[in-house]
């Protein structure tokens, strides 16, 4: 098992980068998360698949915000996909529905 507590993989296909996260999205996963999108054009569509995320802490929320800034801030095209109810509740509490597309 990785020391980050998360397994992060990305798939780059037709100007869409999908980042799959499994486990806990917290500070220990920061380097792996950043590596998943580093070097990809800011003009890409980004999908962060949270379907297998067990928990998100404030550092994890910050990591999503860092991706948003990387991808162009307000003009970023990012979808947070497959959110489990408990994860979606955390994201909504943080008002992420105002910053990201969510489904």
């Amino acid at each position: 098992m990785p020391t980050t507590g998360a397994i992060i993989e990305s798939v780059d296909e037709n100007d869409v980068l999908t980042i799959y996260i499994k486990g806990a999205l917290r500070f220990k996963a920061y380097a792996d998360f950043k590596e998943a999108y580093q070097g990809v054009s800011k003009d890409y569509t980004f999908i962060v698949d949270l379907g297998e995320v067990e928990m998100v802490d404030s550092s994890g929320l910050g990591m999503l915000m860092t991706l948003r800034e990387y991808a162009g801030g307000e003009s970023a095209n990012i979808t947070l996909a497959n959110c489990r109810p408990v994860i979606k509740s955390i994201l909504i509490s943080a008002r992420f529905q105002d910053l990201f597309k969510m489904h």
Side-chain angles (χ1 to χ4, degrees):
M1 171 147 280
T3 58
T4 64
I7 298 170
I8 300 173
E9 298 176 354
S10 60
V11 175
D12 182 347
E13 187 173 15
N14 299 323
D15 296 336
V16 176
L17 183 74
T18 303
I19 301 171
Y20 297 93
I21 304 170
K22 181 177 182 177
L25 188 57
R26 56 184 174 196
F27 183 74
K28 288 181 178 181
Y30 178 76
D32 292 339
F33 183 75
K34 188 172 181 180
E35 185 178 312
Y37 64 82
Q38 203 66 27
V40 173
S41 171
K42 295 169 180 28
D43 297 326
Y44 265 50
T45 296
F46 295 85
I47 300 170
V48 181
D49 189 312
L50 301 172
E52 294 191 53
V53 170
E54 299 163 358
M55 65 86 65
V56 176
D57 67 9
S58 60
S59 295
L61 296 176
M63 290 167 18
L64 294 171
M65 291 300 296
T66 300
L67 171 60
R68 184 176 185 264
E69 288 306 309
Y70 175 87
E74 289 184 28
S75 65
N77 185 2
I78 303 171
T79 299
L80 306 179
N82 301 319
C83 301
R84 293 178 179 189
V86 67
I87 301 301
K88 191 169 191 173
S89 175
I90 293 167
L91 296 172
I92 289 172
S93 293
R95 303 192 53 87
F96 271 40
Q97 73 276 14
D98 296 338
L99 305 172
F100 300 91
K101 296 174 197 156
M102 291 175 50
H103 69 82

